[in-house]
Amino acid sequence: MPPVRRVRPADAARVRAIRLEMLADSPLAFLETLADAAARPHAEFAARIAGMSTGHRTAAFVAEVDGRVVGHAGGQAAPGQPELTVVFAVYLTPAWRGSGLLDALVEAVADWSRAAGRQELLLEVVVGNDRAVRGYERLGFVDTGVRVAHPTVPTLRELQMRRAA
């Protein structure tokens, strides 16, 4: 199992590569399109990665094998909800799905969240993405019953899941 660690500024190109992969592989699961991400200047992306490498408001964690990022998960403090971290951009390269790496990535976000004083995690999953829902349920997330509009495809819905950090 590859170790999971917080991103570093030097990871920008590798994290950008997995970001483009995740958007190509699962275009409905994330908040931007592949075209938008590919068009973003590298310097802007690098600044975003640098911002997630320190602090308690937002963070990203990666797993790397032979210089290639194979897993990613992020966390962000929920505005106006001091006890809550929103888990975002969870992705595993297909070869690593079902390997247990999801657990390690989510636990890294949970550890960071607790260290920042936030005791609960929230994430959203596209309704119908049953594999992801099952994976998150296995990690202790519970469907809250709340459904929200998908941020980029208004005809889709997302379900919210929560668990203790």
Side-chain angles (χ1 to χ4, degrees), residues 45-85:
F45 191 84
R48 191 165 99 182
I49 296 303
M52 289 190 282
S53 69
T54 62
H56 297 291
R57 302 297 301 159
T58 186
F61 298 86
V62 294
E64 191 175 356
V65 174
D66 297 329
R68 179 174 182 255
V69 174
V70 298
H72 179 279
Q76 181 172 15
Q81 297 183 60
E83 77 291 348
L84 185 64
T85 291

Side-chain angles (χ1 to χ4, degrees), residues 9-162:
D11 295 327
R14 289 184 298 281
V15 175
R16 183 180 186 145
I18 199 164
R19 179 70 179 169
L20 297 177
E21 177 186 326
M22 71 175 71
L23 292 168
D25 180 72
S26 306
L28 299 178
F30 305 103
L31 299 180
E32 69 181 333
T33 66
L34 176 59
D36 289 344
R40 181 176 298 112
H42 181 73
E44 182 182 322
F45 191 84
R48 191 165 99 182
I49 296 303
M52 289 190 282
S53 69
T54 62
H56 297 291
R57 302 297 301 159
T58 186
F61 298 86
V62 294
E64 191 175 356
V65 174
D66 297 329
R68 179 174 182 255
V69 174
V70 298
H72 179 279
Q76 181 172 15
Q81 297 183 60
E83 77 291 348
L84 185 64
T85 291
V86 176
V87 179
F88 67 92
V90 179
Y91 179 77
L92 297 173
T93 295
W96 284 91
R97 293 176 187 163
S99 69
L101 186 54
L102 173 66
D103 309 44
L105 287 162
V106 171
E107 290 311 314
V109 175
D111 291 346
W112 168 81
S113 181
R114 283 190 311 276
R118 293 184 300 275
Q119 300 302 313
E120 192 168 8
L121 303 177
L122 170 107
L123 55 79
E124 295 176 346
V125 180
V126 173
V127 171
N129 188 347
D130 296 335
R131 180 181 178 138
V133 169
R134 284 190 308 272
Y136 293 131
E137 286 175 339
R138 188 177 50 74
L139 296 177
F141 284 89
V142 175
D143 184 345
T144 66
V146 174
R147 302 296 183 265
V148 296
H150 187 279
T152 60
V153 183
T155 57
L156 295 178
R157 308 290 286 165
E158 291 189 318
L159 62 93
Q160 289 186 346
M161 301 182 82
R162 286 185 181 240

